[in-house]
Amino acid sequence: YDRFFGVAPTLRTAALKTGFDVLLHGNFVLIPSFYIITGTVKGLTLSQVAAHYRSEGATASLGTTLYWTPLCILNFRFVPQHSRILVVSVLSFIHKTWMSWLSNRDRHKARIELN
């Protein structure tokens, strides 16, 4: 993002990078990709994946935006460029754990009800 938004450690630069990363990349690339990949691994058809995404996509997008917005602003504003990947990797692990819980909670409830 430095090429497009600059490298100055200012709040404006951090906000621009965060807006692009969270609002565009997160909601239109990351979340749909998560549902497509995990749905495929679970053996769901593309229409089942699409239905699953439609039922949870808004919650996933809102949760992702609320989680990543403050963290990305802090990361882009205060973390030196050479350490940003480490910070994002740790935070991403936490985010993917939540996404996994979100996308599997109904499946887990159904399994419990069968037993």
Side-chain angles (χ1 to χ4, degrees), residues 38-103:
T38 58
T40 302
V41 169
K42 292 176 193 174
L44 301 177
T45 65
L46 194 54
S47 62
Q48 290 172 318
V49 171
H52 191 204
Y53 176 71
R54 279 192 299 275
S55 72
E56 296 177 353
T59 302
S61 290
L62 178 63
T64 296
T65 300
L66 293 174
Y67 177 79
W68 281 112
T69 298
L71 296 174
C72 281
I73 287 174
L74 293 172
N75 188 38
F76 288 128
R77 176 71 172 94
F78 297 110
V79 177
Q81 187 176 17
H82 66 273
S83 299
R84 289 179 187 163
I85 298 292
L86 174 63
V87 171
V88 169
S89 295
V90 171
L91 296 172
S92 185
F93 177 78
I94 296 166
H95 178 252
K96 296 311 168 283
T97 300
W98 174 76
M99 289 285 293
S100 179
W101 171 82
L102 177 68
S103 70

